[in-house]
Amino acid sequence: MDNKFKNFFPNTKVYMLIIAVLLAIIFNYNKPVGIIGLVVYGILIIYNLKDSHTRDDEISRILEDITTNIDIAGKSTLSKIPLPLAIVDNRGEILWANSYFVGITSNKIFGQNINTLIADFDSNKIINKKINCYNKVTINNEYFDVLINPIEVNSEKQVKNYIILLYFINKTQYYNIYNTYNDEKPIIALIEVDNYDEVLKSTSEEDRPILIAEIEKHINAFSASVDGLIKKYDDNKYIMIFENKYLDTLVEKKFDILDDLRDIYFGNRIPATLSIGIGKNGNALGKTSDFAAAAKDLALGRGGDQVVIKDGDKLFFYGGKTKEVEKRTKVKARVVAHAISELIDQSSEVIIMGHESPDIDCIGSCLGMYRGCTERGKPAHILLNRSNDSIEKLLIKLKEVGEYNGIFIDNEEASERAINNPLLIIMDVHRKSFVEFPELLDMVSNIVVIDHHRKSADFIDNAVISYIEPYASSTCELTTEIIQYLTEKPKLREIEAQALMAGIYVDTKNFTFKTGVRTFEAAGFLKRLGADSVEVRKLFSDDFDTYVERSKLVSNAVIENGIAIAVHKGKVKNTLIIPQAADELLKINGIEASFVIAEVGSDVVISGRSLGSINVQLILESIGGGGHMTIAGAKLVNTPIADGLSMLKESIYKYLKESDKK
């Protein structure tokens, strides 16, 4: 019957109520008839109750049959589903499993926890829909992907309870094919004996053939150890191709070919070192080769004697623990200077920019390049937003000379000048994130980089000219050489020559560290142009309070394993004492490396120094810093000093462990 007709007729209870009312009326007028009616009414009530009870029983029986049939069908479906299936509770305990699951595991699986099979099983993440699949679960040497289905069940405690259905899909064949593909993927390595000429020059004529043969023997043995194909395409350059499955072994051995080559001795006074660039996971062999070339360039730019692996956008570094050998030539400096002079001539103006919180090497080189540009008749400006303790005295002296009024500009003015697409020359830094105004890099198309720090992963990759020489003592030294070739008769103001000399003086620690023949040649040139040693020394003179503060900092140092760590207490008044204290600590007998850590504003600044046996650049690079083997620094933004100290100690421990010095 239609629902509208069912709703039109009242139900049985209403009928019985109407009959009762009518019987009451009849009983009031005719009692005998009313009594007969009551008897009939009673019979109707009994019949109605009995009929209702019978219907309820029938409905219950039908519902039970339906429920039983559904339950049987469900169990039959779960048990016969053609996939290994397990049901676990929200603690991971196995409640039930079908025969297929028992077949891939064992008969003793009930009551065990599923985390014996899925190590990272997390029911909370599953219930919150953060995980819907586990990939590559290994069971009895077979691989499975596990699909997950959490189901909420009733709980007497009115708390949500869940069971989790786990479907195991056998992907053994897929993963075996994938592993085979991954293992056999070609890896391209470009190998270069980075100090080949220097090593041969340091060896007597009769020993050179033996030395060359021994170097080639070690490199060929290195290739044979990974079943590689190697070809020599230059006196000191090789290309090697091998399978990816051997790469992990090389990493575990820390590329011991670097150490083996350094141990070769056949009369050579300089140990031979290798630079290896490895490319992997390119979408074609050509791309993988490009990765290898970029990796080798980076290894050479970081001083050589190391391995760089480029895996797509990821970079990994190994080695790099030896001192750089000076191998740049005046020919290269002349070629670079000629290229820069052409760019200067073609530009409307020049903007010169250093790194944030510039030091005397940065500002000195900027002043030198400023003079080189003006000597070629081009207007130039130096981007400097604010002064600091290390350059304050030099800036005061510049203000006393009227010629330098207006040459320093800030970010806002540099942005306005960028509209004319000027030449941008970046001094003493090559990392994008460390320049004074990073956004300016995207505003101009012609960029020149001049730096002496070891090349880092986030280098400026769109520079027209990138002159990065880690063998140089300072950027001021590089700038002094370039200036000599920018014009026929190079000229410098006395204050500019003093600033360049000061930069060399600071970075070499008074001509002690990283000082080569070229360093003294540059200093001699500056001396002839008016760099007075006494005036240079005045740029670094300290007041009495600074001297006392630095002395306290040195006295608080803690020494362990030949490494001194000094922590400055409170805020630093003069940031110059941080590197100065690190230098002072090296004067103490038994200290091979020193680190000074201090709070500067909301940041933590770390200065590292070494005598050469410990590479402070590698230590600080792992926490975001950089520099050279003997001189390095790091800045930890918005970091408490306690956290910075912990990071430093952890990096030192890791370095010592990898170097087997602990």
Side-chain angles (χ1 to χ4, degrees):
M1 187 180 291
D2 244 15
N3 284 336
K4 57 184 180 180
F5 291 109
K6 287 182 179 179
N7 294 333
F8 178 77
F9 292 104
N11 58 29
T12 306
K13 292 181 180 179
V14 176
Y15 284 126
M16 297 301 290
L17 180 60
I18 294 172
I19 293 171
V21 173
L22 292 174
L23 284 174
I25 295 172
I26 293 171
F27 191 83
N28 187 43
Y29 289 98
N30 191 335
K31 289 182 179 180
V33 176
I35 292 172
I36 295 170
L38 286 173
V39 172
V40 174
Y41 185 69
I43 294 171
L44 286 174
I45 291 175
I46 294 171
Y47 174 80
N48 186 58
L49 291 174
K50 184 177 180 180
D51 183 63
S52 177
H53 182 69
T54 302
R55 283 200 314 271
D56 289 343
D57 289 343
E58 183 67 18
I59 292 171
S60 297
R61 184 185 63 77
I62 293 171
L63 291 175
E64 287 176 3
D65 289 344
I66 292 172
T67 303
T68 302
N69 291 334
I70 291 174
D71 191 40
I72 292 171
K75 290 180 179 178
S76 177
T77 301
L78 290 176
S79 62
K80 293 182 179 180
I81 190 171
L83 291 174
L85 170 65
I87 300 177
V88 302
D89 61 17
N90 53 11
R91 294 169 300 179
E93 300 293 330
I94 299 176
L95 304 175
W96 180 87
N98 65 5
S99 58
Y100 292 99
F101 181 80
V102 175
I104 66 170
T105 55
S106 66
N107 292 323
K108 298 178 180 179
I109 50 99
F110 296 105
Q112 293 186 8
N113 199 292
I114 197 66
N115 59 23
T116 58
L117 299 177
I118 306 175
D120 55 349
F121 180 84
D122 189 333
S123 59
N124 290 327
K125 290 183 179 180
I126 291 172
I127 292 169
N128 294 324
K129 306 295 185 182
K130 294 182 179 179
I131 298 176
N132 55 20
C133 180
Y134 288 106
N135 294 316
K136 204 175 182 181
V137 175
T138 306
I139 302 175
N140 293 332
N141 297 321
E142 291 190 304
Y143 300 112
F144 295 85
D145 285 351
V146 184
L147 302 181
I148 303 167
N149 182 25
I151 299 174
E152 184 179 347
V153 296
N154 294 329
S155 175
E156 296 179 357
K157 298 180 180 180
Q158 301 300 318
V159 177
K160 287 185 178 180
N161 199 10
Y162 289 84
I163 60 171
I164 301 171
L165 276 64
L166 304 174
Y167 301 90
F168 290 74
I169 302 174
N170 195 319
K171 301 294 285 288
T172 303
Q173 185 177 9
Y174 165 79
Y175 282 114
N176 283 339
I177 294 172
Y178 174 81
N179 290 338
T180 301
Y181 163 75
N182 193 56
D183 287 343
E184 296 178 355
K185 191 182 300 181
I187 300 294
I188 296 178
L190 296 178
I191 304 171
E192 181 175 336
V193 184
D194 49 46
N195 59 347
Y196 185 79
D197 293 335
E198 291 77 13
V199 172
L200 292 186
K201 287 178 182 178
S202 72
T203 309
S204 61
E205 192 74 34
E206 60 270 17
D207 288 330
R208 287 178 186 175
I210 303 175
L211 177 63
I212 294 172
E214 193 66 20
I215 290 174
E216 290 192 2
K217 177 183 174 182
H218 276 73
I219 294 175
N220 287 326
F222 171 65
S223 175
S225 69
V226 294
D227 290 335
L229 168 68
I230 189 166
K231 291 293 180 183
K232 182 177 181 180
Y233 65 93
D234 204 346
D235 288 342
N236 63 329
K237 297 176 182 179
Y238 305 78
I239 182 171
M240 185 174 80
I241 302 175
F242 62 98
E243 293 180 344
N244 186 49
K245 62 185 176 184
Y246 296 106
L247 186 57
D248 288 341
T249 303
L250 296 178
V251 171
E252 288 174 6
K253 292 181 178 180
K254 301 175 184 176
F255 291 93
D256 50 8
I257 180 65
L258 300 176
D259 299 322
D260 293 342
L261 214 70
R262 282 196 301 270
D263 292 338
I264 296 175
Y265 178 75
F266 285 94
N268 50 303
R269 293 189 298 273
I270 299 175
T273 58
L274 282 183
S275 289
I276 303 177
I278 295 177
K280 64 176 294 189
N281 288 332
N283 53 18
L285 276 177
K287 192 65 175 178
T288 303
S289 177
D290 292 341
F291 286 171
K296 194 188 77 167
D297 289 344
L298 187 53
L300 291 169
R302 290 164 56 85
D305 187 34
Q306 58 192 282
V307 178
V308 177
I309 299 175
K310 182 170 175 57
D311 181 359
D313 294 331
K314 295 179 288 186
L315 291 165
F316 305 91
F317 303 94
Y318 303 91
K321 297 180 173 64
T322 60
K323 293 181 180 179
E324 303 94 340
V325 178
E326 183 178 5
K327 62 180 184 180
R328 74 188 197 282
T329 64
K330 287 187 176 181
V331 174
K332 185 174 182 179
R334 185 171 65 250
V335 170
V336 170
H338 178 70
I340 293 175
S341 64
E342 288 186 346
L343 288 174
I344 292 173
D345 294 341
Q346 295 169 8
S347 303
S348 58
E349 63 176 312
V350 181
I351 296 177
I352 305 166
M353 175 172 66
H355 54 77
E356 59 179 351
S357 300
D359 54 12
I360 196 69
D361 184 35
C362 179
I363 290 298
S365 59
C366 287
L367 282 171
M369 189 54 63
Y370 163 80
R371 180 53 57 194
C373 294
T374 55
E375 285 294 304
R376 295 199 67 86
K378 291 294 179 179
H381 294 85
I382 299 173
L383 177 57
L384 178 66
N385 289 298
R386 63 185 65 86
S387 178
N388 59 65
D389 297 325
S390 61
I391 62 173
E392 183 64 30
K393 291 181 179 178
L394 176 60
L395 293 181
I396 291 174
K397 292 189 69 173
L398 289 173
K399 288 181 180 178
E400 295 173 356
V401 182
E403 180 183 351
Y404 299 100
N405 293 332
I407 72 164
F408 292 102
I409 60 175
D410 57 15
N411 290 353
E412 184 177 354
E413 187 172 349
S415 299
E416 294 175 357
R417 292 180 177 274
I419 298 174
N420 298 322
N421 194 25
L423 173 65
L424 176 61
I425 302 179
I426 298 173
M427 310 296 295
D428 200 37
V429 62
H430 65 269
R431 301 179 65 173
K432 297 177 182 179
S433 57
F434 279 23
V435 298
E436 179 80 4
F437 185 24
E439 291 78 7
L440 188 60
L441 297 174
D442 298 322
M443 299 180 186
V444 297
S445 57
N446 291 327
I447 300 175
V448 173
V449 176
I450 303 173
D451 190 21
H452 73 118
H453 296 100
R454 284 192 172 193
K455 205 170 184 180
S456 300
D458 60 335
F459 62 93
I460 299 169
D461 54 4
N462 61 333
V464 178
I465 298 174
S466 185
Y467 188 39
I468 301 175
E469 292 290 344
Y471 317 100
S473 69
S474 58
T475 306
C476 282
E477 178 185 328
L478 293 174
T479 306
T480 302
E481 289 186 342
I482 292 172
I483 289 172
Q484 298 177 58
Y485 300 108
L486 284 179
T487 57
E488 291 185 6
K489 295 181 179 180
K491 297 179 182 179
L492 286 172
R493 302 292 187 268
E494 186 176 298
I495 184 64
E496 294 163 353
Q498 291 174 4
L500 286 165
M501 181 73 86
I504 298 174
Y505 183 94
V506 169
D507 275 21
T508 59
K509 308 307 170 195
N510 196 14
F511 297 95
T512 302
F513 294 101
K514 285 182 67 64
T515 304
V517 174
R518 306 283 291 282
T519 309
F520 288 107
E521 289 179 351
F525 172 77
L526 296 173
K527 187 74 174 176
R528 290 194 298 271
L529 293 181
D532 187 347
S533 300
V534 176
E535 293 298 320
V536 171
R537 189 71 186 87
K538 288 180 180 179
L539 295 174
F540 311 111
S541 59
D542 300 321
D543 55 36
F544 181 74
D545 291 338
T546 300
Y547 182 84
V548 171
E549 188 179 6
R550 183 173 64 245
S551 299
K552 288 181 179 179
L553 184 55
V554 171
S555 65
N556 291 332
V558 177
I559 305 171
E560 186 177 351
N561 295 318
I563 298 177
I565 300 178
V567 182
H568 188 278
K569 297 178 180 178
K571 300 293 183 180
V572 178
K573 297 179 182 178
N574 187 344
T575 56
L576 270 178
I577 70 166
I578 302 172
Q580 288 176 351
D583 292 330
E584 289 295 320
L585 284 168
L586 286 185
K587 297 178 182 179
I588 301 173
N589 189 33
I591 295 179
E592 295 294 324
S594 62
F595 295 91
V596 177
I597 180 170
E599 277 187 293
V600 179
S602 60
D603 305 329
V604 168
V605 173
I606 304 175
S607 185
R609 298 291 185 270
S610 169
L611 293 176
S613 61
I614 295 175
N615 192 328
V616 292
Q617 182 249 342
L618 288 181
I619 293 173
L620 293 182
E621 186 179 51
S622 66
I623 57 176
H628 291 283
M629 183 176 180
T630 56
I631 303 173
K635 182 179 181 181
L636 308 178
V637 180
N638 295 325
T639 303
I641 193 168
D643 293 347
L645 180 60
S646 177
M647 293 168 63
L648 173 62
K649 289 181 176 179
E650 184 178 348
S651 183
I652 293 172
Y653 175 82
K654 182 180 178 182
Y655 171 83
L656 294 178
K657 185 178 180 181
E658 291 179 351
S659 304
D660 297 324
K661 293 183 179 182
K662 189 174 186 299

